Tab-separated table of all heavy atoms in Angstrom:
chain	number	residue	atom	x	y	z
A	1157	LEU	N	-52.163	-46.069	17.914
A	1157	LEU	CA	-52.309	-45.488	19.303
A	1157	LEU	C	-53.763	-44.832	19.410
A	1157	LEU	O	-53.881	-43.729	18.823
A	1157	LEU	CB	-51.098	-44.514	19.545
A	1157	LEU	CG	-51.147	-43.870	20.909
A	1157	LEU	CD1	-50.982	-44.858	22.061
A	1157	LEU	CD2	-49.822	-43.020	20.959
A	1158	CYS	N	-54.537	-45.289	20.268
A	1158	CYS	CA	-55.877	-44.932	20.377
A	1158	CYS	C	-56.160	-44.295	21.742
A	1158	CYS	O	-55.449	-44.422	22.610
A	1158	CYS	CB	-57.003	-46.002	20.190
A	1158	CYS	SG	-56.782	-46.987	18.610
A	1159	GLY	N	-57.326	-43.490	21.763
A	1159	GLY	CA	-57.747	-42.958	23.025
A	1159	GLY	C	-59.368	-42.658	22.889
A	1159	GLY	O	-59.850	-42.638	21.854
A	1160	ASP	N	-59.882	-42.354	24.074
A	1160	ASP	CA	-61.342	-42.018	23.923
A	1160	ASP	C	-61.552	-40.633	23.128
A	1160	ASP	O	-60.659	-39.752	23.414
A	1160	ASP	CB	-61.931	-41.781	25.328
A	1160	ASP	CG	-62.253	-43.193	25.925
A	1160	ASP	OD1	-62.488	-44.222	25.194
A	1160	ASP	OD2	-62.216	-43.266	27.205
A	1161	TYR	N	-62.514	-40.709	22.285
A	1161	TYR	CA	-62.834	-39.532	21.325
A	1161	TYR	C	-61.798	-39.303	20.429
A	1161	TYR	O	-61.557	-38.070	20.010
A	1161	TYR	CB	-63.281	-38.254	22.266
A	1161	TYR	CG	-64.524	-38.701	23.093
A	1161	TYR	CD1	-64.433	-38.925	24.375
A	1161	TYR	CD2	-65.753	-38.797	22.378
A	1161	TYR	CE1	-65.590	-39.179	25.102
A	1161	TYR	CE2	-66.858	-39.216	23.151
A	1161	TYR	CZ	-66.713	-39.364	24.464
A	1161	TYR	OH	-67.857	-39.852	25.200
A	1162	VAL	N	-61.142	-40.394	19.979
A	1162	VAL	CA	-60.335	-40.288	18.701
A	1162	VAL	C	-61.312	-40.123	17.555
A	1162	VAL	O	-62.472	-40.459	17.557
A	1162	VAL	CB	-59.569	-41.673	18.609
A	1162	VAL	CG1	-60.589	-42.828	18.382
A	1162	VAL	CG2	-58.580	-41.670	17.350
A	1163	GLU	N	-60.916	-39.457	16.554
A	1163	GLU	CA	-61.717	-39.190	15.353
A	1163	GLU	C	-62.137	-40.506	14.694
A	1163	GLU	O	-61.269	-41.276	14.425
A	1163	GLU	CB	-61.205	-38.110	14.426
A	1163	GLU	CG	-62.221	-37.221	13.693
A	1163	GLU	CD	-63.031	-38.014	12.632
A	1163	GLU	OE1	-62.566	-39.008	12.024
A	1163	GLU	OE2	-64.258	-37.583	12.491
A	1164	ASP	N	-63.501	-40.613	14.424
A	1164	ASP	CA	-63.982	-41.905	13.884
A	1164	ASP	C	-63.320	-42.309	12.689
A	1164	ASP	O	-62.822	-43.502	12.649
A	1164	ASP	CB	-65.488	-41.703	13.642
A	1164	ASP	CG	-66.340	-43.054	13.848
A	1164	ASP	OD1	-65.684	-43.907	14.085
A	1164	ASP	OD2	-67.431	-42.955	13.846
A	1165	TYR	N	-63.230	-41.520	11.646
A	1165	TYR	CA	-62.607	-41.928	10.409
A	1165	TYR	C	-61.111	-42.087	10.558
A	1165	TYR	O	-60.510	-42.925	9.898
A	1165	TYR	CB	-62.859	-40.788	9.307
A	1165	TYR	CG	-64.196	-40.832	8.612
A	1165	TYR	CD1	-64.565	-39.672	7.917
A	1165	TYR	CD2	-65.114	-41.752	8.785
A	1165	TYR	CE1	-65.815	-39.542	7.247
A	1165	TYR	CE2	-66.347	-41.759	8.031
A	1165	TYR	CZ	-66.767	-40.659	7.252
A	1165	TYR	OH	-67.928	-40.515	6.753
A	1166	GLU	N	-60.596	-41.326	11.401
A	1166	GLU	CA	-59.091	-41.270	11.511
A	1166	GLU	C	-58.471	-42.423	12.165
A	1166	GLU	O	-57.271	-42.782	12.096
A	1166	GLU	CB	-58.573	-39.930	12.110
A	1166	GLU	CG	-58.932	-38.624	11.252
A	1166	GLU	CD	-58.522	-37.452	11.920
A	1166	GLU	OE1	-58.196	-37.353	13.064
A	1166	GLU	OE2	-58.914	-36.376	11.233
A	1167	VAL	N	-59.357	-43.265	12.838
A	1167	VAL	CA	-58.901	-44.452	13.475
A	1167	VAL	C	-59.395	-45.599	12.636
A	1167	VAL	O	-58.527	-46.564	12.456
A	1167	VAL	CB	-59.370	-44.645	14.877
A	1167	VAL	CG1	-60.896	-44.691	15.005
A	1167	VAL	CG2	-58.782	-45.611	15.690
A	1197	ALA	N	-65.280	-39.845	18.041
A	1197	ALA	CA	-66.005	-38.471	17.797
A	1197	ALA	C	-66.116	-38.401	16.282
A	1197	ALA	O	-65.020	-38.548	15.528
A	1197	ALA	CB	-65.205	-37.432	18.403
A	1199	HIS	N	-66.073	-35.563	13.743
A	1199	HIS	CA	-65.632	-34.235	13.546
A	1199	HIS	C	-65.899	-33.886	12.066
A	1199	HIS	O	-65.505	-34.599	11.172
A	1199	HIS	CB	-64.169	-34.054	13.844
A	1199	HIS	CG	-63.862	-33.960	15.391
A	1199	HIS	ND1	-62.732	-33.897	15.870
A	1199	HIS	CD2	-64.761	-34.037	16.458
A	1199	HIS	CE1	-62.690	-34.027	17.218
A	1199	HIS	NE2	-64.079	-34.046	17.593
A	1233	PHE	N	-48.890	-45.453	14.078
A	1233	PHE	CA	-49.958	-44.641	13.564
A	1233	PHE	C	-50.668	-43.921	14.630
A	1233	PHE	O	-51.121	-44.560	15.631
A	1233	PHE	CB	-50.906	-45.595	12.675
A	1233	PHE	CG	-51.631	-44.918	11.613
A	1233	PHE	CD1	-51.431	-45.145	10.261
A	1233	PHE	CD2	-52.626	-43.921	11.896
A	1233	PHE	CE1	-52.067	-44.589	9.303
A	1233	PHE	CE2	-53.309	-43.221	10.876
A	1233	PHE	CZ	-53.150	-43.558	9.504
A	1234	ILE	N	-50.769	-42.689	14.572
A	1234	ILE	CA	-51.437	-41.796	15.592
A	1234	ILE	C	-52.574	-41.025	15.014
A	1234	ILE	O	-52.412	-40.114	14.162
A	1234	ILE	CB	-50.456	-40.840	16.189
A	1234	ILE	CG1	-49.166	-41.536	16.750
A	1234	ILE	CG2	-51.127	-40.106	17.376
A	1234	ILE	CD1	-48.116	-40.553	17.211
A	1235	PRO	N	-53.833	-41.471	15.201
A	1235	PRO	CA	-55.002	-40.735	14.774
A	1235	PRO	C	-55.258	-39.455	15.479
A	1235	PRO	O	-54.599	-39.248	16.545
A	1235	PRO	CB	-56.261	-41.799	14.907
A	1235	PRO	CG	-55.424	-42.957	15.404
A	1235	PRO	CD	-54.272	-42.623	15.999
A	1236	GLY	N	-56.115	-38.606	15.008
A	1236	GLY	CA	-56.380	-37.367	15.594
A	1236	GLY	C	-57.701	-37.405	16.442
A	1236	GLY	O	-58.015	-38.431	17.061
A	1237	GLY	N	-58.430	-36.277	16.466
A	1237	GLY	CA	-59.561	-36.141	17.293
A	1237	GLY	C	-59.167	-35.483	18.639
A	1237	GLY	O	-58.244	-34.792	18.726
A	1238	ARG	N	-59.944	-35.734	19.689
A	1238	ARG	CA	-59.679	-35.171	20.989
A	1238	ARG	C	-58.720	-35.996	21.841
A	1238	ARG	O	-58.217	-35.493	22.850
A	1238	ARG	CB	-60.914	-34.728	21.777
A	1238	ARG	CG	-61.556	-33.533	21.215
A	1238	ARG	CD	-62.673	-32.983	22.129
A	1238	ARG	NE	-63.786	-33.858	22.298
A	1238	ARG	CZ	-64.050	-34.386	23.440
A	1238	ARG	NH1	-63.200	-34.372	24.483
A	1238	ARG	NH2	-65.125	-35.094	23.540
A	1239	ALA	N	-58.630	-37.282	21.453
A	1239	ALA	CA	-57.724	-38.198	22.237
A	1239	ALA	C	-56.319	-37.707	22.508
A	1239	ALA	O	-55.832	-37.733	23.651
A	1239	ALA	CB	-57.769	-39.568	21.634
A	1240	PRO	N	-55.635	-37.169	21.438
A	1240	PRO	CA	-54.262	-36.706	21.667
A	1240	PRO	C	-54.003	-35.716	22.700
A	1240	PRO	O	-53.023	-35.590	23.255
A	1240	PRO	CB	-53.923	-36.143	20.195
A	1240	PRO	CG	-54.758	-36.896	19.360
A	1240	PRO	CD	-56.057	-37.040	20.082
A	1241	GLU	N	-55.187	-34.893	23.001
A	1241	GLU	CA	-54.962	-33.854	24.049
A	1241	GLU	C	-54.574	-34.442	25.386
A	1241	GLU	O	-53.701	-33.899	25.990
A	1241	GLU	CB	-56.336	-32.966	24.195
A	1241	GLU	CG	-56.679	-32.257	22.959
A	1241	GLU	CD	-58.041	-31.617	23.047
A	1241	GLU	OE1	-58.705	-31.876	24.150
A	1241	GLU	OE2	-58.531	-30.748	22.213
A	1243	LEU	N	-53.664	-37.822	25.869
A	1243	LEU	CA	-52.435	-38.785	25.556
A	1243	LEU	C	-51.149	-38.052	25.507
A	1243	LEU	O	-50.208	-38.797	25.993
A	1243	LEU	CB	-52.715	-39.520	24.272
A	1243	LEU	CG	-53.977	-40.587	24.207
A	1243	LEU	CD1	-53.955	-41.103	22.770
A	1243	LEU	CD2	-53.815	-41.560	25.234
A	1265	ALA	N	-48.947	-39.273	11.806
A	1265	ALA	CA	-49.831	-38.629	12.608
A	1265	ALA	C	-50.761	-37.702	12.018
A	1265	ALA	O	-50.255	-36.953	10.939
A	1265	ALA	CB	-49.047	-37.920	13.810
A	1266	ILE	N	-51.975	-37.752	12.304
A	1266	ILE	CA	-52.971	-36.864	11.508
A	1266	ILE	C	-53.786	-35.945	12.490
A	1266	ILE	O	-54.030	-36.277	13.621
A	1266	ILE	CB	-53.904	-37.852	10.600
A	1266	ILE	CG1	-54.662	-37.119	9.582
A	1266	ILE	CG2	-54.802	-38.564	11.646
A	1266	ILE	CD1	-55.264	-38.014	8.503
A	1267	CYS	N	-54.106	-34.766	11.877
A	1267	CYS	CA	-55.009	-33.935	12.593
A	1267	CYS	C	-54.452	-33.290	13.879
A	1267	CYS	O	-53.499	-32.624	13.960
A	1267	CYS	CB	-56.348	-34.509	12.774
A	1267	CYS	SG	-57.714	-33.529	13.253
A	1268	HIS	N	-54.981	-33.772	15.090
A	1268	HIS	CA	-54.511	-33.367	16.403
A	1268	HIS	C	-53.424	-34.349	16.850
A	1268	HIS	O	-52.945	-34.230	18.030
A	1268	HIS	CB	-55.515	-33.200	17.376
A	1268	HIS	CG	-56.420	-32.042	17.124
A	1268	HIS	ND1	-57.311	-31.913	15.988
A	1268	HIS	CD2	-56.595	-30.842	17.845
A	1268	HIS	CE1	-58.003	-30.737	16.142
A	1268	HIS	NE2	-57.598	-30.104	17.217
A	1269	GLY	N	-53.168	-35.396	16.188
A	1269	GLY	CA	-52.257	-36.518	16.646
A	1269	GLY	C	-50.821	-35.897	16.938
A	1269	GLY	O	-50.040	-36.346	17.596
A	1270	GLN	N	-50.464	-34.737	16.182
A	1270	GLN	CA	-49.221	-34.142	16.110
A	1270	GLN	C	-49.058	-33.518	17.506
A	1270	GLN	O	-47.778	-33.234	17.883
A	1270	GLN	CB	-49.077	-33.184	14.954
A	1270	GLN	CG	-48.965	-33.684	13.643
A	1270	GLN	CD	-50.229	-34.159	13.108
A	1270	GLN	OE1	-51.051	-34.679	13.701
A	1270	GLN	NE2	-50.343	-33.844	11.739
A	1320	PRO	N	-53.348	-33.127	7.917
A	1320	PRO	CA	-54.356	-32.179	8.639
A	1320	PRO	C	-55.649	-32.880	8.982
A	1320	PRO	O	-56.167	-32.517	10.023
A	1320	PRO	CB	-54.475	-31.057	7.686
A	1320	PRO	CG	-54.368	-31.572	6.305
A	1320	PRO	CD	-53.351	-32.764	6.406
A	1328	PHE	N	-52.292	-40.303	2.838
A	1328	PHE	CA	-51.603	-40.671	4.157
A	1328	PHE	C	-51.345	-42.102	4.359
A	1328	PHE	O	-50.261	-42.569	4.575
A	1328	PHE	CB	-52.695	-40.195	5.265
A	1328	PHE	CG	-52.079	-40.001	6.573
A	1328	PHE	CD1	-51.080	-39.019	6.900
A	1328	PHE	CD2	-52.547	-40.801	7.714
A	1328	PHE	CE1	-50.672	-38.787	8.091
A	1328	PHE	CE2	-52.039	-40.670	8.957
A	1328	PHE	CZ	-51.132	-39.557	9.162
Side-chain angles (χ1 to χ4, degrees):
L1157 182 58
C1158 305
D1160 282 334
Y1161 298 104
V1162 62
E1163 210 290 325
D1164 209 357
Y1165 282 167
E1166 290 170 7
V1167 66
H1199 286 172
F1233 206 112
I1234 307 175
R1238 285 196 293 109
E1241 295 175 353
L1243 292 178
I1266 195 164
C1267 194
H1268 288 69
Q1270 290 82 315
F1328 199 63

